[in-house]
Amino acid sequence: MRVFVLLFNARTENEGIHTIQLGDRNKVLMFESEDDATRFGVMLEAQDFPEPTVEAIDEEEIKDFCNSVDYDWELIPAGALEIPPENNVTQTQWQPEPEPDLDPDSEVSQNELDSIRRRLEGLL
């Protein structure tokens, strides 16, 4: 069966799966419904998490992963309103991808940027 999980930094070297920490245990939530997983992700964003990616993955693959890293798992039935806990861990095992640095020596000068900005404002 396909389930939906929340990933941070999906498809990068720094990918992380969302877990709920209960005591010293971590639990992966597997949603039957993509809409429910998306809703949960939006609630996480409201708690200042980075935007998660909802990924469809085979249930057995998630269970195997959980067994390999000694995590628990829970299947959230379609239509169940799962709400994130109010308390969040302060340090994650993954980190948000850094924002790209703006190159101060870029090929476009400030004067050119101002000119482009004026032309765009003129279009409005």
Side-chain angles (χ1 to χ4, degrees), residues 6-71:
L6 300 173
L7 300 179
F8 297 101
N9 302 325
R11 294 173 289 286
T12 69
E13 293 291 321
N14 190 24
E15 184 175 72
I17 191 166
H18 176 266
T19 63
I20 303 285
Q21 190 172 39
L22 302 168
D24 64 343
R25 303 286 301 164
N26 286 302
K27 177 172 58 172
V28 173
L29 300 180
M30 300 184 301
F31 293 86
E32 285 185 343
S33 164
E34 183 175 10
D35 288 342
D36 292 341
T38 301
R39 185 178 309 111
F40 189 85
V42 168
M43 287 189 274
L44 287 177
E45 283 183 83
Q47 293 182 346
D48 295 327
F49 274 83
E51 181 180 358
T53 302
V54 175
E55 290 283 327
I57 301 178
D58 184 70
E59 179 180 4
E60 290 305 314
E61 187 177 334
I62 294 296
K63 289 179 181 178
D64 290 344
F65 166 77
C66 289
N67 289 332
S68 72
V69 294
D70 196 30
Y71 285 1

Side-chain angles (χ1 to χ4, degrees), residues 49-110:
F49 274 83
E51 181 180 358
T53 302
V54 175
E55 290 283 327
I57 301 178
D58 184 70
E59 179 180 4
E60 290 305 314
E61 187 177 334
I62 294 296
K63 289 179 181 178
D64 290 344
F65 166 77
C66 289
N67 289 332
S68 72
V69 294
D70 196 30
Y71 285 1
D72 298 326
W73 54 269
E74 180 180 352
L75 182 63
I76 308 299
L81 180 59
E82 188 68 23
I83 298 174
E86 290 184 25
N87 296 327
N88 297 316
V89 295
T90 55
Q91 181 65 37
T92 60
Q93 293 178 352
W94 59 273
Q95 296 303 317
E97 289 292 311
E99 294 293 323
D101 290 332
L102 295 176
D103 184 4
D105 299 325
S106 72
E107 295 178 17
V108 180
S109 71
Q110 186 62 41

